[in-house]
Each structure stands twice: as structure tokens, then as C-alpha cells.
Amino acid sequence: MFSAIKSRLAGNGEAKEPAKEAVEAQAGQADDSEAQPVGGGAVELKALDPAAEQQLTAAGVDLISCSACPSICDPLDTSLDPNTIHPDKTLRAWSKQTIDMDSPMLASTTPFYRHALISTGKKDWVHDVATVDGSLAQWFQEWAGEIEEEKKKGKETLQQDASMARHRQPILPEGVWQSTLPPSSAMSSSSSKPIMSCQARTAQDHLRPLPGGPSRVLISNASHISSSRHHHGQNVMLFPDWVMLSDVCDGQPGEKVATAVAEDKERTRELYREHIAAAPSSSSSKEERPRSRPRRTVLPYRAVVVLCSHNKRDARCGIAAPMLAEVLKRHAEAAGWEVDERADHVDHHHDGEADEEGSCEFHDLLRVPAGRGWGHVHETSTADDSNKAPSPEEQILNWRKELCDPSSSYAPSPSLGIFYCSHIGKHAWAGNVIVYFPSGSGVWYGRVDPKEGAGRVFQETILKGKVIGELLRAGINLYRGEGADELEDVVSGTKEQLVGGKGRTKSLLAW
């Protein structure tokens, strides 16, 4: 799938140095009272809080400890040894950085419902990405504020099925949250049947915010490259949805006249409200609403790694991110995976006519568009047409299910997406690594040392779906429960019994 892309990727397989300004910058040399120089010798990672560890174990999260298997951090294969991968200059620059190794990381991240990554083709940005006039980051932040104000005034009217409100969860530690229903509560993980709209909980339910859960959208600029047909169009990756939203128009300076910018902004605003923020339309009727039907494609990757590389905020992430990316890439390729750092091919099958009414046929068994290439979502189908065609949300979940099935002959060969993003907080915990999976789970790690921890993240978390306790700073949808009727052994009993018990372990990779 990525053979054509690989020829366009920079480099010839040799290690690449981080940007000169990142290596030479001293922004990461702040005298943090709890920070320790990386080059000051081996530093033992702080263990996960025992109570949090017990709660996660009771919820069936597959936890491991760095102290249990140090060999992965010291690979026998010299081609995977970070000390041979990175140039000496880069290693020296990293060794001078001060990293906070003591303060607790878990519960430091404000919970969010969805993470939106905006294509920029860059690995570094201005200090505050939302200050760039006409950028999607600025617009999204503006509209997020509007929606929050509407909620405060009691105008928020998200429609949610009563069965969703009855969904039960185990006790999770602060910093680990559920943003959506587990996919398996609509379809058993042992079932070969695709998502169908006639089920008690529809596919739409599983892409909506979980009642009582977070509704915030986390907005980041990212390094992937837009493949938009429009000069001012961007691609926006959405997690945990596992979707690429294409042709999202911004208002960057250019040839567009003011009226065109205003029209594009209103169209993008409705797209944001309906398909990113999951907020009701602000228009009084469908007739008054601008056309906002999206172009969505399900991502082809088995996992996506997002690395904070915002050097203009702090040099620590600016230095760590490219080092981490190179180690992760080496491990992925050694495992037979392909690596994509551009994502400009993801929606290649859209031809402008694909979403016209009646123009799409569906695979009889998989219930996804046939003959359109991987991940195509036909947007004109609705749940009301379920006897004829699956809704877009059903298609999305059916595509994702195929990625989670190692025996699927329909899914593409294993691949890893590696992308850089703007500030996500706590540069003092560099390297900051986010791993998302098509199952809907996401793991946020901090203190991932490019010399010692990146390989372990790939081998244990990406390949096996295990969570490394010492590195955990946040978790989204880590609970992989089977549904409200099957949770009695996990959620019943006293708090002490819940904390002390062990739930049925289920990998983050599994559907």
C-alpha cells in the first residue's frame, strides 16, 4: 500500500538528526526543581500509583511494569539500538535535557471526547497555534467556546439513547476515562456479524459522547499532509473515531475573496459542530443550513503514534520526537510493518462522484462499500435505509472491526502511522507519546526516553496491546467491557472488592 509513498519519504534509511534549532535550543534547560538531567545516569521510573494499578487491573486492563522485563530496552539487534541509530550530536543534546522524573503523571490530562489533528505538513508551529488568523485551529477553538456557552445556557440538546445512559462501567482511576461505548457492547467480540442498525444500540450511539463522559474536543496541529482537492482544504484526523475528514476549508490568506472565506467558514463551522464536536446544528432548519456533508475515510493503520514535537514551546519535545519516531520506525519495519509519516494517500479513492445518491454498492458480508478501496465511507446512506445500505457510522465501525481482526483477509497489511503534533502539555515529561488503536482505545505516555523506552512502547503496547504502568499519563477507552448485561463480575460489589479484584483482561487491540 505504501510502496509509492516510501519513495517520497525523506531519507535513505539512515538516521536523521532533529532540526538544528531543536538540538541547539536551551528552552528545555529550565531549572525544574523535580527535573533530572537525562545524561546523569540511569534513573528509575516512578511506579504507577498502587490504587490506580488495582483499579485498572480490576477493569481488565492488561498492565505491565518496566521493571519486569528490561531486555527490550537493551536490544540484541544493533540495528534497533538507539545508541547506534542516533548521531552522537543528537544523543549529547538529549542527554543535557532535564526531565521531571518524580511528579505523578496520571490525572494530569483534562479528559476529552475526541482528538482532532489538523494537517499542516509541519513538525513545529508558532507558540500558540490558535493565534494564526484563519487557521482551523483558531476556528475550532472559537466554535468550541461557542458550544460551551450554549451548554451553560441550557441550549445543548444532544439526543442520546436511553440504553446508553444505562451503560455501566467499572471504577476507573482519575486520568483514565471512557469517551464512547465499547464497540463490543453493540457486537460481541466473538461475533462475525457486522454492525447492523437494527441492534438495540446503533452505530451512531458508539460514535457519540458517552452520557456523563467528557464532551471536550482536543485540538492539535499535526504533521500529516493534506490531500484536499481545494487550495484551502485540510485533512483532519479524528480519534478515537479512526477517521480522516477531508476537504475541511480554512481561511488562510490567499486568493479567496472575503465572501468566499465567509461561506467556507460557515460550511466548516457546521462540519465542526456535526462531525467533530457532536453538537446540534446552529441553524433553525435543514433548508437554512449550508451543505456540510463530510468526506470521511477510515484510516488503514493498525496503530497511530502521535508525538509532541512543538519545539517553539519547549526544546525537550523538539529533540525527543524525531528520535522516538526513528526508533519506532525501525522496530515497526523489523516486525514487517510498513510505516507512513504523510497520510496524503488515505482518501485517494474519493473522486468527487463517489458519494452521489445510488452510486455505491456494498459488500454483502462486510457491509462496507465495495470497489472503492480501503476505508471509503458512503455518506448518503442513513440508518433509515438499513435494509438497503448501512449508515456511514455502521460503515466506519465495520471497517474498524476488520483492522482489529488479525485473521481478516480484507484488511490491509499491518502498518503504523507516525505523526507529530503541537503542544499537549507537560514538556517536562518528554518524550510525550500518544498511541491510538482502531478499537477506540488510546494510551498517553510520558517520560518515554528515546534511548530506552521507545522500543518497549512498540513491542509491548503497539504489538501486544499492553499498558506500561510507569509511563502512563492518561488513558481513553482502556476499559474493553462486553456490555451492560455482561459486567456483573466487573462492576458489582463494594468499592474495596472492585479495587482488589481482577477483571477479565482484554487487549487494547481487540474489538
Side-chain angles (χ1 to χ4, degrees):
M1 176 183 291
F2 302 108
S3 56
I5 296 170
K6 282 186 173 181
S7 65
R8 303 202 304 269
L9 294 176
N12 56 4
E14 299 178 354
K16 296 180 281 296
E17 294 189 38
K20 179 179 179 181
E21 60 269 24
V23 173
E24 297 180 349
Q26 296 301 312
Q29 299 296 323
D31 185 21
D32 299 323
S33 59
E34 296 180 324
Q36 303 178 38
V38 177
V43 179
E44 184 176 354
L45 287 167
K46 188 178 182 68
L48 183 65
D49 176 72
E53 180 179 352
Q54 290 175 332
Q55 289 173 324
L56 290 171
T57 301
V61 178
D62 197 353
L63 281 174
I64 61 169
S65 170
C66 282
S67 62
C69 185
S71 62
I72 293 178
C73 296
D74 185 21
L76 297 176
D77 185 347
T78 56
S79 68
L80 301 178
D81 185 350
N83 290 296
T84 63
I85 290 175
H86 305 304
D88 290 341
K89 182 178 179 181
T90 302
L91 292 170
R92 287 195 301 271
W94 174 247
S95 69
K96 295 176 183 178
Q97 304 309 306
T98 53
I99 304 300
D100 175 2
M101 303 298 293
D102 296 315
S103 62
M105 293 192 295
L106 195 59
S108 63
T109 301
T110 303
F112 58 88
Y113 153 60
R114 181 174 278 153
H115 191 178
L117 294 168
I118 303 166
S119 64
T120 68
K122 301 177 181 179
K123 299 178 182 179
D124 194 19
W125 304 267
V126 298
H127 188 270
D128 184 353
V129 297
T131 62
V132 178
D133 288 340
S135 66
L136 288 182
Q138 184 188 59
W139 285 0
F140 287 1
Q141 182 169 290
E142 173 189 335
W143 299 328
E146 284 182 5
I147 293 169
E148 284 303 311
E149 287 301 314
E150 291 172 9
K151 291 179 182 179
K152 291 178 182 178
K153 295 177 181 179
K155 295 181 179 180
E156 215 286 327
T157 57
L158 277 176
Q159 299 297 314
Q160 293 169 339
D161 191 275
S163 63
M164 292 178 65
R166 293 194 297 270
H167 177 70
R168 302 174 65 189
Q169 303 175 28
I171 297 173
L172 298 172
E174 187 178 359
V176 177
W177 65 91
Q178 299 297 111
S179 68
T180 57
L181 287 168
S184 54
S185 61
M187 173 176 54
S188 170
S189 59
S190 62
S191 172
S192 61
K193 295 181 180 180
I195 299 287
M196 303 294 286
S197 62
C198 60
Q199 290 172 290
R201 291 194 178 107
T202 67
Q204 288 90 335
D205 291 337
H206 292 266
L207 296 177
R208 294 173 181 165
L210 189 68
S215 59
R216 182 174 78 101
V217 176
L218 178 63
I219 301 164
S220 300
N221 274 359
S223 61
H224 59 291
I225 298 171
S226 173
S227 58
S228 174
R229 300 168 296 181
H230 308 301
H231 178 63
H232 288 274
Q234 301 298 337
N235 291 351
V236 180
M237 288 186 188
L238 300 178
F239 299 101
D241 307 66
W242 212 251
V243 162
M244 176 82 82
L245 193 61
S246 302
D247 288 340
V248 184
C249 291
D250 61 23
Q252 295 282 341
E255 299 176 356
K256 291 195 297 185
V257 297
T259 53
V261 172
E263 290 174 358
D264 282 346
K265 184 173 183 179
E266 184 59 24
R267 185 178 297 108
T268 300
R269 179 173 179 267
E270 288 301 310
L271 200 68
Y272 174 82
R273 295 182 67 94
E274 294 183 27
H275 299 287
I276 299 178
S281 171
S282 59
S283 299
S284 58
S285 70
K286 291 184 178 180
E287 289 73 20
E288 296 175 5
R289 203 167 64 196
R291 179 186 175 90
S292 59
R293 193 173 70 201
R295 287 177 57 218
R296 289 182 288 186
T297 307
V298 175
L299 299 174
Y301 316 114
R302 298 294 176 91
V304 166
V305 173
V306 182
L307 304 166
C308 178
S309 62
H310 205 155
N311 184 63
K312 288 185 174 65
R313 296 290 293 250
D314 195 298
R316 285 171 284 198
C317 282
I319 295 172
M323 296 176 70
L324 290 164
E326 188 63 30
V327 175
L328 289 165
K329 180 179 179 180
R330 297 285 185 100
H331 276 267
E333 291 176 341
W337 288 34
E338 298 186 67
V339 176
D340 182 20
E341 300 177 83
R342 297 171 62 94
D344 54 346
H345 69 290
V346 169
D347 63 345
H348 63 91
H349 49 72
H350 283 284
D351 59 10
E353 302 296 329
D355 287 337
E356 293 301 318
E357 191 74 38
S359 65
C360 187
E361 296 183 358
F362 292 87
H363 193 288
D364 290 338
L365 178 62
L366 302 179
R367 302 284 288 172
V368 295
R372 292 287 181 183
W374 172 266
H376 177 78
V377 178
H378 186 61
E379 297 291 349
T380 58
S381 301
T382 67
D384 294 336
D385 301 326
S386 57
N387 291 329
K388 301 178 181 178
S391 70
E393 291 77 15
E394 293 171 60
Q395 297 168 47
I396 289 170
L397 293 188
N398 287 333
W399 282 121
R400 286 169 52 187
K401 178 178 180 289
E402 289 302 305
L403 283 175
C404 294
D405 182 0
S407 65
S408 172
S409 60
Y410 204 75
S413 58
S415 61
L416 177 67
I418 301 178
F419 308 104
Y420 301 89
C421 78
S422 56
H423 181 59
I424 56 172
K426 290 296 182 180
H427 292 290
W429 293 334
N432 284 296
V433 179
I434 306 172
V435 184
Y436 289 120
F437 297 100
S439 66
S441 296
V443 182
W444 281 43
Y445 285 145
R447 299 181 183 134
V448 182
D449 192 324
K451 292 178 60 178
E452 298 182 357
R456 189 165 179 79
V457 168
F458 181 82
Q459 297 293 337
E460 295 294 340
T461 300
I462 295 174
L463 279 186
K464 301 176 184 177
K466 299 177 182 290
V467 176
I468 305 171
E470 291 93 335
L471 304 179
L472 186 63
R473 62 172 287 192
I476 178 172
N477 298 329
L478 298 188
Y479 168 61
R480 310 297 303 151
E482 297 294 333
D485 295 335
E486 301 174 353
L487 294 183
E488 295 305 320
D489 62 329
V490 179
V491 302
S492 59
T494 66
K495 181 175 181 180
E496 290 73 19
Q497 290 171 331
L498 287 169
V499 170
K502 180 175 176 59
R504 293 167 297 177
T505 300
K506 186 174 181 182
S507 169
L508 304 183
L509 310 181
W511 187 252

